[in-house]
């Protein structure tokens, strides 16, 4: 099957720090791919590079057959490539429904759409998606009053509201009550299967990522260390060394 | 609730329309109060709704003032001679010239600042937080200094706005005329903002305030909204400036047009006093502020700036969210913000 995202030999330096060094990966349309690696190995930097938060120093990034490495963040998002954040980012002083409405994506932003009312049917869609992530009862609360875990769920719902083609999830289960984690895995699989959204997931929880992903990439020290099926990664000596420290 | 609102709006409208006849001695004062309301409302678009603290909005006020007066004069007489030699004595506007000039001047006083806001905004609205604040602080000061160096508009010496034409009513009539112009401009500003805040525009401004990175990550071209917001502010500020120039009759670069130290600071204070980020906050803030300030000016002359200082301290310590913010906290049910305790405590379940 064709790749929706192709990252080719991307390098990103911050002064002398080589955050990403010749990183390549590709994600097949409709799949769930995992990205793991010890802290500071450059996973989030790679996410930032892909969505255009900062310019990359070398390499190419192709999404849906289009070169996107020079596009600004909103333009990449408009193409249907969205990311969520490790430290949740929500609109704290407005309520959950409004958070969702802001996240809906008008195809055009001109004077007419800017100064027109948010369509009524979007509210219904927002409520359904909030129900999907279990936040329906909290829809009228200020998003800033939600707990960290709930904000993570809200962020997921906001991303879905935008109807992306592909989602980059930065640690979707970090800080979430363990009893909810199975629910989240379940939701992410539904998102992938039924909504048809391709997922690239950064995750530290091995149980989650092994259950979720069909293919896993492992970064270490800014370089791609290994890739393969969950089984292969689990038994890869280099990966184990990177996580536990080689003797 | 809806009915109460109607009564409130009606009462204010009636007050606004009757005020010059009920309190004839305070006509000019109340006109200036409406001007202050405009300043606070337009500042709040950036400072409150969008979370961009600007110290430079006075720029548009001053530009509007100069553009309006220059148009009024330049349409009929050579501007250079007017400003060079106390031209209001040599050249006299006929009534029709006066009103034609004023209309054209006010229209341009709205349009030119909008263009300036778009151009400058494109350049500096990429800055955030303190950087944006400092940059705008420079804008207002620079504009004052620049205007003080331009001969054709009177340089540091200033220029006079066209005097009221002879034969059209007396000075009382003139005050009433400008009273209603300011009142209408204030109403237009309020109505437009009230309308715009209910649209996607308002929602996105709040999103920018809460987390601009996230808004961009959701595919919103925040720059467009920021520039547009500034253009809206510039439009109404420019017209307000044009009106003030005519009401005062004399335009001076740093004391009247680009008054960073008075109006420039007042607009921020008023919005914060009333409650920034709310529709009514700036309105209430401006009214309270003006009455307070004028009271001190009249009865305790010499202490007014001390009192202002105390007022600022009191606001910051006791009403950090402003009057509206405080009311909202006290009476959430009046604002339709009651939240079921059960909703707050509910556990999230994913099955």
């Amino acid at each position: 099957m064709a790749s929706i995202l192709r990252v080719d030999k991307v390098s990103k330096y911050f002064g002398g720090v080589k955050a990403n060094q010749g990183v390549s990966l590709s994600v097949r349309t409709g799949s769930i791919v995992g990205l793991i690696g010890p802290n500071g190995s450059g996973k989030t930097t790679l996410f930032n590079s892909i969505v255009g938060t900062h310019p990359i120093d070398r390499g190419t990034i192709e999404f849906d057959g289009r070169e996107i490495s020079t596009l600004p963040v909103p333009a990449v998002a408009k193409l249907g490539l969205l990311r969520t954040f490790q430290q949740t980012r929500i609109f704290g002083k407005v309520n959950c429904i409004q958070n969702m409405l802001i996240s809906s994506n008008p195809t055009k932003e001109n004077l007419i759409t800017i100064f027109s009312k948010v369509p009524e049917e979007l509210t219904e869609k927002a409520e359904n998606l909030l129900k999907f992530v279990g936040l329906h009862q909290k829809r009228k609360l200020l998003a800033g009053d939600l707990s960290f875990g709930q904000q993570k769920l809200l962020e997921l719902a906001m991303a879905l509201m935008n109807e992306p083609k592909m989602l980059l999830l930065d640690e979707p289960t970090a800080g979430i009550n363990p009893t909810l984690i199975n629910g989240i895995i379940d939701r992410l699989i539904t998102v992938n299967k039924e909504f048809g959204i391709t997922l690239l997931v950064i995750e530290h929880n091995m149980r989650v990522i092994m259950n979720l992903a069909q293919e896993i990439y492992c970064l270490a020290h800014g370089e791609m260390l290994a890739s393969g099926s969950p089984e292969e990664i689990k038994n890869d000596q280099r990966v184990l060394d990177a996580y536990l420290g080689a003797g | 609730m809806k009915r109460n609102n109607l009564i409130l709006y009606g009462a204010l409208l009636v007050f606004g329309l009757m005020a010059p006849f009920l309190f004839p001695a305070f006509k000019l004062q109340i006109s200036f109060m409406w001007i202050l309301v405009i300043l606070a409302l337009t500042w709040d678009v950036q400072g409150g709704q969008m979370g961009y603290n600007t110290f430079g909005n006075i720029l548009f006020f001053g530009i509007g003032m100069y553009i309006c007066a220059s148009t009024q004069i330049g349409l009929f007489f050579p501007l250079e001679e007017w400003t060079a030699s106390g031209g209001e004595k040599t050249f006299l506007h006929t009534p029709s010239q006066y009103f034609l000039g004023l209309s054209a001047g006010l229209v341009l006083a709205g349009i030119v600042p909008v263009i300036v806001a778009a151009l400058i905004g494109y350049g500096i609205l990429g800055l955030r937080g303190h950087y944006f604040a400092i940059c705008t602080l420079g804008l207002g000061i620079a504009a004052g200094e620049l205007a003080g160096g331009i001969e054709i508009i009177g340089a540091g010496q200033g220029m006079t706005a066209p005097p009221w034409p002879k034969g059209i009513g007396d000075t009382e009539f003139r005050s009433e005329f400008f009273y209603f112009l300011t009142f209408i401009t204030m109403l237009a500003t309020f109505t437009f903002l009230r309308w715009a805040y209910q649209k996607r525009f308002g929602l996105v401004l709040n999103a920018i305030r809460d987390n601009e990175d996230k808004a961009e990550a959701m595919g919103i071209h925040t720059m467009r909204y920021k520039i547009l917001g500034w253009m809206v502010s510039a439009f109404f500020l420019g017209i307000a400036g044009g009106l003030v120039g005519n009401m005062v009759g004399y335009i001076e670069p740093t004391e009247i047009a680009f008054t960073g130290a008075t109006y420039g600071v007042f607009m921020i204070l008023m919005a914060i006093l009333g409650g920034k980020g709310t529709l009514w906050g700036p309105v209430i803030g401006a009214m309270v502020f003006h009455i307070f300030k004028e009271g001190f000016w009249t009865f305790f002359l010499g202490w007014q700036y001390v009192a202002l200082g105390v007022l600022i301290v009191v606001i910051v310590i006791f009403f950090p969210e402003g009057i509206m913010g405080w009311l909202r906290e006290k009476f959430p049910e009046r604002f339709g913000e009651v939240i079921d305790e059960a909703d707050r405590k509910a556990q999230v379940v994913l099955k």
Side-chain angles (χ1 to χ4, degrees):
Chain A
M1 215 192 283
S3 296
I4 189 165
L5 178 74
R6 204 194 310 268
V7 176
D8 196 27
K9 301 196 194 68
V10 164
S11 298
K12 175 69 197 173
Y13 309 131
F14 296 106
V17 179
K18 294 171 178 165
N20 283 151
Q21 172 86 313
V23 172
S24 301
L25 62 79
S26 76
V27 178
R28 280 178 300 112
T29 311
S31 63
I32 302 180
V33 173
L35 182 60
I36 61 171
N39 291 326
S41 61
K43 304 180 296 294
T44 300
T45 302
L46 184 61
F47 266 27
N48 286 338
S49 299
I50 293 172
V51 299
T53 310
H54 46 51
I56 54 175
D57 293 308
R58 218 163 293 149
T60 56
I61 300 167
E62 221 175 78
F63 174 71
D64 221 3
R66 227 184 120 170
E67 174 64 32
I68 57 165
S69 58
T70 53
L71 294 181
V73 177
V76 173
K78 278 252 191 301
L79 289 177
L81 177 57
L82 276 199
R83 61 92 52 96
T84 63
F85 294 88
Q86 185 176 1
Q87 297 300 323
T88 59
R89 297 193 181 179
I90 40 90
F91 308 116
K93 292 200 177 130
V94 294
N95 68 30
C96 294
I97 292 276
Q98 285 168 314
N99 266 268
M100 298 292 282
L101 294 180
I102 292 166
S103 307
S104 73
N105 192 358
T107 42
K108 284 208 177 74
E109 278 174 287
N110 51 32
L111 276 180
I112 298 168
T113 53
I114 287 174
F115 285 115
S116 55
K117 249 197 156 37
V118 179
E120 210 49 59
E121 61 269 20
L122 281 181
T123 310
E124 201 178 319
K125 184 176 156 199
E127 295 202 359
N128 284 336
L129 280 171
L130 284 174
K131 218 172 271 171
F132 177 70
V133 297
L135 287 176
H136 190 257
Q137 203 175 359
K138 298 199 176 278
R139 65 191 184 281
K140 284 180 188 153
L141 265 68
L142 294 187
D145 290 347
L146 299 180
S147 72
F148 180 79
Q150 292 163 353
Q151 290 183 3
K152 266 223 124 129
L153 291 168
L154 176 63
E155 238 199 329
L156 175 63
M158 284 160 72
L160 297 176
M161 187 76 184
N162 205 291
E163 298 184 345
K165 291 182 190 139
M166 177 169 181
L167 256 180
L168 309 182
L169 299 169
D170 203 340
E171 300 200 29
T173 66
I176 287 192
N177 179 346
T179 56
L180 288 181
I181 286 185
N182 283 336
I184 294 207
I185 297 177
D186 193 52
R187 291 298 182 277
L188 289 179
I189 290 174
T190 313
V191 163
N192 178 251
K193 288 260 152 42
E194 282 170 28
F195 300 4
I197 299 173
T198 310
L199 300 178
L200 176 59
V201 188
I202 292 180
E203 188 53 71
H204 276 303
N205 187 330
M206 286 304 143
R207 184 175 69 82
V208 171
I209 200 71
M210 294 300 162
N211 278 322
L212 198 60
Q214 293 130 17
E215 196 182 358
I216 293 177
Y217 287 88
C218 177
L219 274 174
H221 304 295
E223 292 178 47
M224 198 55 84
L225 191 65
S227 67
S229 67
E231 273 312 306
E232 287 165 1
I233 290 288
K234 234 186 262 182
N235 300 315
D236 192 308
Q237 193 54 46
R238 291 169 303 169
V239 176
L240 295 176
D241 287 347
Y243 265 93
L244 303 173
Chain B
M1 191 67 203
K2 271 263 180 283
R3 237 189 60 153
N4 285 348
N5 273 349
L6 270 183
I7 294 170
L8 181 72
Y9 279 107
L12 280 174
L13 197 65
V14 168
F15 170 77
L17 292 174
M18 300 294 288
F21 309 108
L22 291 176
F23 314 103
F26 295 107
K27 259 186 297 237
L28 197 65
Q29 287 308 332
I30 305 176
S31 312
F32 272 102
M33 184 167 84
W34 300 137
I35 293 285
L36 289 179
V37 171
I38 299 172
L39 296 189
L41 273 171
T42 51
W43 183 83
D44 195 58
V45 179
Q46 279 78 49
Q49 300 285 349
M50 199 170 90
Y52 269 61
N53 288 313
T54 158
F55 293 95
N57 276 14
I58 196 71
L59 172 72
F60 308 121
F61 181 78
I63 292 178
M65 194 180 288
Y66 272 114
I67 290 288
C68 183
S70 306
T71 312
Q72 284 174 270
I73 298 159
L75 266 184
F76 309 103
F77 309 113
L79 183 58
E80 210 163 347
E81 282 178 46
W82 175 289
T83 48
S85 63
E88 74 278 8
K89 295 194 190 83
T90 328
F91 308 107
L92 282 179
H93 285 78
T94 63
S96 63
Q97 280 178 332
Y98 183 84
F99 290 108
L100 188 66
L102 184 63
S103 328
L106 286 177
V107 170
L108 282 181
I111 293 173
V112 175
V114 166
I115 297 168
V116 174
L119 292 177
I120 299 182
Y122 186 74
I124 70 168
L125 275 166
L127 296 172
R128 293 190 188 174
H130 310 309
Y131 303 102
F132 178 78
I134 291 295
C135 186
T136 52
L137 185 61
L139 276 183
I141 297 170
E145 295 302 322
L146 276 177
I150 302 175
E151 282 300 330
I152 195 162
I153 53 169
Q157 188 190 344
M159 70 191 280
T160 45
W164 187 253
K166 290 208 167 54
I168 305 280
D170 52 3
T171 48
E172 287 301 305
F173 180 74
R174 175 181 183 273
S175 315
E176 276 158 24
F177 176 76
F178 280 111
Y179 174 86
F180 283 109
L181 272 187
T182 53
F183 184 60
I184 290 167
T185 312
M186 186 278 292
L187 276 188
T189 312
F190 180 84
T191 316
F192 179 82
L193 290 179
R194 182 173 186 276
W195 173 82
Y197 287 158
Q198 290 168 346
K199 303 289 185 263
R200 190 174 158 80
F201 179 72
L203 211 51
V204 173
L205 287 195
N206 288 163
I208 292 172
R209 173 194 65 196
D210 286 354
N211 198 326
E212 188 171 350
D213 284 332
K214 177 69 177 177
E216 282 195 331
M218 298 314 286
I220 299 170
H221 290 282
T222 54
M223 199 70 182
R224 287 183 201 170
Y225 290 84
K226 290 191 284 186
I227 295 178
L228 209 57
W230 224 20
M231 286 161 72
V232 168
S233 291
F235 179 75
F236 292 111
L237 271 172
I239 293 176
L243 287 172
V244 170
N246 274 286
M247 281 154 63
V248 177
Y250 170 69
I251 302 172
E252 203 270 357
T254 54
E255 295 294 320
I256 295 171
F258 302 102
T259 48
T262 52
Y263 279 176
V265 176
F266 291 168
M267 60 170 93
I268 303 171
L269 269 183
M270 295 182 298
I272 293 175
L273 169 67
K276 61 177 185 172
T278 59
L279 179 65
W280 277 99
V283 180
I284 295 169
M287 292 166 112
V288 170
F289 177 85
H290 188 62
I291 293 167
F292 178 87
K293 179 170 77 78
E294 289 305 316
F296 263 88
W297 244 257
T298 314
F299 300 112
F300 305 97
L301 192 66
W303 287 91
Q304 69 271 33
Y305 280 107
V306 178
L308 272 186
V310 172
L311 181 68
I312 297 171
V313 173
V314 169
I315 295 168
V316 171
I317 294 179
F318 295 105
F319 302 97
E321 298 289 313
I323 297 170
M324 280 301 275
W326 177 76
L327 284 175
R328 222 168 168 153
E329 224 164 80
K330 280 265 166 193
F331 311 102
E333 68 278 5
R334 299 278 301 158
F335 294 87
E337 285 179 356
V338 181
I339 287 177
D340 204 338
E341 223 19 59
D343 285 355
R344 202 180 285 284
K345 293 214 178 96
Q347 288 292 320
V348 174
V349 188
L350 285 177
K351 290 227 180 69

